[in-house]
Amino acid sequence: MQMVKSQHIAAIVRRIPRGRVATYGQVASLAGLPGHARLVGYTLHALPDGSPVPWHRVINARGEVSPRSERGAELLQRALLEGEGVVFDGRGRVAFEHFGWRPRRAAGQRRPAPTPKSR
DNA sequence: GCAATGACGCTCT
DNA sequence: CAGAGCGCCATTG
């Protein structure tokens, strides 16, 4: 299978619970490609139309949606997330501390320090 | 089979 | 904290 990659990534994204958002890097790490977030982004773009993949739940590490090629698409993604209960801050950013998806991994918690300083 | 593109991440300034 | 540059692999033409 050649597009197994997309299938694998799709499986990861599909694991994201509703009302939660994950970053490309996070999905990439879970997919077995740590540090290769670009692959996730491009692979998601190559996903078929009938893919049950909530791609709108996948955003960049900045906590904001990517300005994709199509103008307004980021607004659509943001609308979908808001429809799931995700809230954006005044700058259009999502608080990973509240909406960041935290997958259950025995020895692989990709969450070193969620800004422990200042509250 | 080769070349170019692409929905990012991380580090440095 | 914000902005800019480099690197990575997969998919498409």
Side-chain angles (χ1 to χ4, degrees):
Chain A
M1 310 167 150
Q2 14 244 26
M3 313 163 180
V4 280
K5 290 294 199 268
S6 356
Q7 294 281 305
H8 198 91
I9 293 168
I12 304 292
V13 178
R14 218 195 289 152
R15 286 178 186 171
I16 304 174
R18 180 166 158 292
R20 229 103 203 221
V21 293
T23 68
Y24 294 100
Q26 191 160 7
V27 177
S29 299
L30 295 170
L33 303 167
H36 298 215
R38 286 189 122 209
L39 285 308
V40 181
Y42 191 72
T43 305
L44 287 173
H45 180 99
L47 281 173
D49 292 335
S51 276
V53 181
W55 56 269
H56 60 264
R57 284 182 197 150
V58 186
I59 58 181
N60 55 33
R62 294 184 201 169
E64 208 211 276
V65 304
S66 279
R68 237 178 71 297
S69 311
E70 186 75 20
R71 261 268 274 280
E74 64 180 68
L75 299 175
L76 173 65
Q77 185 170 2
R78 177 172 162 177
L80 289 169
L81 291 173
E82 288 185 309
E84 293 187 349
V86 179
V87 181
F88 285 73
D89 65 355
R91 277 184 295 233
R93 278 185 178 169
V94 183
F96 280 100
E97 332 176 12
H98 296 288
F99 301 103
W101 176 44
R102 288 128 51 105
R104 294 294 199 145
R105 254 232 148 157
Q109 272 242 253
R110 305 282 178 263
R111 222 90 233 233
T115 22
K117 68 142 164 207
S118 157
R119 208 119 74 99

